[in-house]
Amino acid sequence: MSVARALSQWLGAARRRRFAAIALTALPLALALAIGAWRVDGASAAAWASGLALIAILPWAAWRARQLDARWLARQLNRVRRDMEDSAELLFDDATYGAPTAAAGSHLTTLQRQRLRERLLALATPELRPPWPRRQLAIAWATALGLAGVALLWPTPIHRVAAPTPPHSAPTAPTRTRILAATLHVVAPAYTGLPARDEAALEARVPEGAVVSWSLRLQPNPDSAALRFHDGSVVPLQQVGELWQGQREVREGLLYRFNLGAAPALENERLYRLDVLPDRPPELRVSAPERTLSLLDPGQRDWLLRFEASDDYGLGAAQLHITLAQGSGENVRFSERRLRLTGKGTATRRTFEHRIDLGAMGFAVGDDLVARLSITDNRQPSANLTRHPSFILRWPAPAGAEAAGLEGMVQRTLPAYFRSQRQIIIDSEALIAERARLSEPRFVDRADAIGVDQRILRLRYGQFLGEESEGPRAPGAASESDDEHGHGDASANEAADVLAEFGHTHDQAEATTLFDARTRALLKGALDAMWQSEGLLRQGQPQAALPHQYRALALIKQVQQASRIYLSRVGLELPPIDLSRRLRGDRSGLRDRADPLAAAVPTNPAVVAAWAATDAGAAQPLDVTTLDALADWAQAQGARLPDRLALLAAIDPLRRDPACARCVTELRRLLWPLLPTPPANVRWRAAPSAGGGAYLDAIATPPAEDTP
């Protein structure tokens, strides 16, 4: 026998063993299924069940058997035959094994293959077939026998034969009309680009302005039909063949029901709901500039504006409104320009970018350039318009230019607050971190601005020490009023002499009495540190000013702790009680005060009345008048209510059946969020008990004359 034939026989035997094992495991379950089908529906059902089971089992068993291939056989030979030296793959050629086993021209491979073939035929090969799954077979047969026994012992179902209808009985007239078929055909407005669609239900969510067409088939067929909406409008339905058709444009949410002519009422006379998806205005997002108010940077030639717009259906025209404000005071001139922008992107999302040439606009020192973008969508007949807040580009005027000739009258309005010492430290550290990215003039200007804030804060704290000048000066330094020869203002000196002679000064650090000596020393040290920080900041040296700033902050914190005031706790001191009138019943001098409380008027009386009427313990039952008032109020609220249609739909069944408990519960659930917040109320005093009433009667009776 050749090696190839032996390998083929061994592989075939293994496949047959696996096929038989799978078939014997699944066939008893199929047999039990066939017995159960026979007991339920006879021999035909059993034949169908057994046939379907065989169709499913046999291909699956064959597929599982085909999974045993040459690779599996080679692994089995390597496992049971040690003389194969884990090289049984060499016994198969490339076509049989499915992949090259070794180099085609290798002499060593050829020699090893010849040795393996001789060994394979020389000795008897042990069993290579997979073992029988005895445990699975036992479980399958036991389960099948149990199921078959249950099916055989189950009582036979009784097939009842319906009694024949009397041949001459007259058909009964229908008592209700049925809707055999219903279709809503929704055609969205053309500008939305949405395709028309059909809904198989009578409720739907449609775009705003969509045309909805109804197509119904009723049984029995009425002589007329119409749609009645909650706002009182009616759409008659026209009969076309067996269908009743009608259409309406929907711009807001609607509730409707069917009104039939000379025909029985519908099986379910409920309200149907049409919700509207409103066309939202476009959304605008600005990516440049980042701030609403921007100051012109040195060397800036243009101003970049970049917007992103999106809409649910489609964007319309975009317009940029530019206003240039020139001049100051009452001589301000305005010039306006409108530019139409063309964006990039899709119909629903676009990006708009525009650079304004500042030179061409005539932008100069002290001017403001205001830009605002507006965009519309494609909504018809009137488009939605969105306007973004304005963005301002300002070219600041030189410092002090606005105060020329108006000294003492012009004051800065921004910032309207004092910088804290901690904020000055934060600004200084931020400026130091940005040093590498700033030019030298820009760095010095920003340091000088922080120095100005330091000066304002120093003067603010200096007021507590009586300082009214710019701060400490070196001894012998000339004052601001001295001339170039060192002569001071004579009038100022005379005024100081008069004050020193006849007055009592409080504007000197030594004379102030707001703080104790230690606190004054701490505050003076903080002012000195602020003075040093200010000088270094004005010179463009924020790094050197930081230690003085931290020292000033630490001293200010000590001053704050030292200047706190602690009050001792005291008890409540009430006036003494006059015991001479105690338990005498003497109420002379006492009178009732007028009650200032007034009943609050509810803002939505219809809701309050409906809530009170739906209470389980209400004296008055729920009537149609209360429901009509609630419906009118809900209709007048419009879009201000969170779900107006749900409230109207809850009112409708109560008009037909006021005793519907489920409908009352649903209405109360919707009314609860609409109730006004109850005001604070004073509770009436509870009725006194028998003993309390006797005591009150006793003290109300005037005492006799001889009562001691």
Side-chain angles (χ1 to χ4, degrees), residues 309-549:
S310 61
D311 188 68
D312 44 6
Y313 297 125
L315 295 168
Q319 194 175 57
L320 183 63
H321 185 194
I322 304 174
T323 303
L324 178 62
Q326 296 177 310
S328 60
E330 298 181 356
N331 298 323
V332 179
R333 302 182 305 276
F334 296 94
S335 59
E336 298 183 358
R337 294 180 58 186
R338 296 179 183 270
L339 301 177
R340 187 180 180 89
L341 301 182
T342 302
K344 298 179 181 179
T346 61
T348 58
R349 184 179 296 272
R350 295 178 190 168
T351 301
F352 300 90
E353 182 175 327
H354 183 73
R355 290 184 179 271
I356 301 177
D357 190 350
L358 301 180
M361 291 290 298
F363 195 54
V365 179
D367 294 350
D368 285 350
L369 191 61
V370 183
R372 183 178 64 182
L373 180 71
S374 62
I375 190 169
T376 61
D377 60 5
N378 296 328
R379 181 174 178 266
Q380 294 177 0
S382 59
N384 292 318
L385 175 63
T386 299
R387 292 188 178 92
H388 199 276
S390 301
F391 288 87
I392 304 174
L393 178 63
R394 177 169 296 169
W395 191 335
E402 68 237 6
L406 299 174
E407 290 80 0
M409 296 179 61
V410 177
Q411 298 181 358
R412 293 184 178 180
T413 59
L414 289 177
Y417 57 92
F418 290 103
R419 291 276 187 173
S420 65
Q421 187 63 33
R422 190 182 303 275
Q423 185 63 43
I424 291 175
I425 294 174
I426 294 174
D427 294 344
S428 300
E429 292 178 346
L431 179 60
I432 295 171
E434 298 178 8
R435 177 67 181 88
R437 300 193 300 270
L438 299 176
S439 61
E440 186 65 26
R442 178 65 175 168
F443 180 79
V444 174
D445 289 344
R446 290 184 55 178
D448 181 71
I450 301 175
V452 172
D453 294 336
Q454 182 70 85
R455 171 181 173 274
I456 295 174
L457 185 63
R458 178 178 57 81
L459 293 178
R460 177 191 179 190
Y461 281 101
Q463 294 177 0
F464 296 105
L465 290 182
E467 293 186 1
E468 295 183 358
S469 62
E470 285 296 317
R473 292 190 297 270
S479 64
E480 295 180 0
S481 60
D482 293 344
D483 57 15
E484 60 182 359
H485 301 289
H487 303 288
D489 190 353
S491 61
N493 295 333
E494 292 176 0
D497 294 339
V498 172
L499 182 61
E501 183 177 357
F502 299 101
H504 182 61
T505 60
H506 290 275
D507 59 347
Q508 297 179 2
E510 292 77 7
T512 180
T513 57
L514 293 176
F515 305 103
D516 58 282
R518 181 177 178 276
T519 305
R520 287 201 305 270
L522 292 174
L523 188 56
K524 184 173 178 57
L527 294 178
D528 292 341
M530 292 182 187
W531 179 270
Q532 298 293 335
S533 171
E534 176 188 347
L536 294 172
L537 288 171
R538 301 298 288 269
Q539 297 174 16
Q541 302 178 21
Q543 184 68 40
L546 271 180
H548 302 288
Q549 296 175 7

Side-chain angles (χ1 to χ4, degrees), residues 48-347:
W48 277 101
S50 59
L52 292 176
L54 291 176
I55 291 175
I57 293 172
L58 296 180
W60 179 61
W63 174 74
R64 289 282 294 156
R66 293 292 297 175
Q67 289 183 339
L68 302 181
D69 53 4
R71 293 177 183 270
W72 176 85
L73 184 59
R75 291 194 299 268
Q76 291 294 106
L77 288 174
N78 289 329
R79 182 177 61 86
V80 301
R81 293 284 297 267
R82 301 181 61 87
D83 57 349
M84 292 292 102
E85 299 178 355
D86 290 334
S87 302
E89 292 85 355
L90 298 177
L91 297 173
F92 302 90
D93 55 8
D94 295 345
T96 303
Y97 197 73
T101 57
S106 175
H107 179 72
L108 181 60
T109 301
T110 305
L111 180 61
Q112 180 69 5
R113 180 182 294 112
Q114 184 64 29
R115 294 174 56 191
L116 293 178
R117 289 179 177 177
E118 293 175 356
R119 294 175 183 176
L120 184 66
L121 298 178
L123 299 176
T125 302
E127 181 65 46
L128 296 177
R129 294 177 297 177
W132 288 101
R134 293 183 175 84
R135 183 177 180 182
Q136 289 84 346
L137 288 172
I139 294 174
W141 280 97
T143 304
L145 291 176
L147 294 176
V150 172
L152 292 174
L153 296 177
W154 196 265
T156 304
I158 301 175
H159 300 280
R160 299 185 181 272
V161 180
T165 305
H168 300 290
S169 59
T172 58
T175 59
R176 289 288 183 177
T177 300
R178 293 189 303 154
I179 301 178
L180 299 181
T183 303
L184 288 182
H185 184 67
V186 181
V187 179
Y191 73 89
T192 62
L194 298 177
R197 72 177 194 271
D198 291 332
E199 297 285 347
L202 293 174
E203 294 184 335
R205 296 173 62 89
V206 301
E208 181 183 3
V211 177
V212 180
S213 301
W214 287 264
S215 181
L216 306 171
R217 186 165 56 200
L218 305 174
Q219 184 184 19
N221 200 12
D223 58 349
S224 64
L227 301 175
R228 184 174 297 276
F229 296 88
H230 76 278
D231 56 359
S233 59
V234 177
V235 173
L237 299 179
Q238 305 295 329
Q239 187 174 9
V240 180
E242 296 181 354
L243 300 177
W244 290 90
Q245 297 179 349
Q247 68 177 18
R248 172 177 175 165
E249 182 181 8
V250 179
R251 291 200 169 272
E252 62 178 2
L254 295 173
L255 294 173
Y256 71 94
R257 65 160 34 94
F258 296 101
N259 280 356
L260 306 180
L266 290 174
E267 291 180 335
N268 188 2
E269 293 185 312
R270 72 180 189 89
L271 287 173
Y272 298 95
R273 178 169 176 171
L274 287 179
D275 287 310
V276 169
L277 301 174
D279 188 352
R280 298 187 301 271
E283 296 181 1
L284 279 176
R285 293 168 296 277
V286 180
S287 56
E290 298 179 354
R291 297 181 297 273
T292 305
L293 176 62
S294 304
L295 300 181
L296 187 70
D297 294 330
Q300 183 177 351
R301 302 290 183 182
D302 52 22
W303 189 25
L304 174 62
L305 301 173
R306 185 182 296 114
F307 303 87
E308 183 180 354
S310 61
D311 188 68
D312 44 6
Y313 297 125
L315 295 168
Q319 194 175 57
L320 183 63
H321 185 194
I322 304 174
T323 303
L324 178 62
Q326 296 177 310
S328 60
E330 298 181 356
N331 298 323
V332 179
R333 302 182 305 276
F334 296 94
S335 59
E336 298 183 358
R337 294 180 58 186
R338 296 179 183 270
L339 301 177
R340 187 180 180 89
L341 301 182
T342 302
K344 298 179 181 179
T346 61

